């Protein structure tokens, strides 16, 4: 049973089997969000996903970076990512057309950022999430 289904722009339906959400800047005690901090955050969440979900490739959807009218400091201008980071295990039909559809599926671990802690669903999911090139990124596996 999946948590939700997302319809990609390509028309493929993918099932969200597992979802982890956390605050993008949770635990940030000092400093301010800037490019350097955000780049470290992206690298860290990707490494965490690769370690936790080694059975499938990991894809990071490039997050929207905003530059509010706030004064920066020694690390440059303020740069803010959406407030919720999500890591999802997605599954779908096999990518390779010659594989038996009953015995094979495809999987992809996807990391994306969103402004609120909502589960993506249907055709209403974030366009950046729906635009991922599943056929290029996912890996087929046998059940």
């Amino acid at each position: 049973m999946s948590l939700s289904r997302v319809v990609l722009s390509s028309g493929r339906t993918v099932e969200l089997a597992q979802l982890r959400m956390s605050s993008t800047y949770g635990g940030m005690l000092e400093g301010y969000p800037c490019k350097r901090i955000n780049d470290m955050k992206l690298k860290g969440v990707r490494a965490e996903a690769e370690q936790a979900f080694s059975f499938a490739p990991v894809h990071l959807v490039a997050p929207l970076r905003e530059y509010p009218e706030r004064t920066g400091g020694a690390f440059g201008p303020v740069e803010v990512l959406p407030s919720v980071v999500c890591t999802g295990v997605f599954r779908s039909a096999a990518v390779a057309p010659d594989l038996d559809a009953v015995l094979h599926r495809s999987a992809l671990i996807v990391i994306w950022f969103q402004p609120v802690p909502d589960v993506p669903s249907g055709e209403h999911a974030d366009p950046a999430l729906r635009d991922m090139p599943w056929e290029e990124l996912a890996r087929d596996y046998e059940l």
Side-chain angles (χ1 to χ4, degrees), residues 62-116:
L64 176 66
R65 296 175 186 237
E66 294 183 356
Y67 301 90
E69 296 289 329
R70 294 192 309 203
T71 304
F75 299 112
V78 175
E79 178 185 271
V80 180
L81 300 175
S83 59
V84 181
V85 58
C86 305
T87 303
V89 176
F90 287 90
R91 294 191 170 101
S92 186
V95 173
D98 58 327
L99 293 176
D100 184 335
V102 175
L103 296 176
H104 294 88
R105 305 274 292 155
S106 59
L108 181 64
I109 311 307
V110 183
I111 303 165
W112 74 97
F113 290 75
Q114 58 188 35
V116 294

Side-chain angles (χ1 to χ4, degrees), residues 28-85:
M28 186 172 172
L29 300 175
E30 291 188 37
Y32 61 94
C34 61
K35 181 173 177 18
R36 182 176 179 193
I37 295 293
N38 290 337
D39 289 348
M40 288 189 320
K41 179 70 176 176
L42 296 177
K43 185 177 181 181
V45 296
R46 183 178 186 95
E48 182 180 307
E50 287 172 344
Q51 182 176 7
F53 304 106
S54 59
F55 62 88
V58 174
H59 173 62
L60 172 67
V61 176
L64 176 66
R65 296 175 186 237
E66 294 183 356
Y67 301 90
E69 296 289 329
R70 294 192 309 203
T71 304
F75 299 112
V78 175
E79 178 185 271
V80 180
L81 300 175
S83 59
V84 181
V85 58

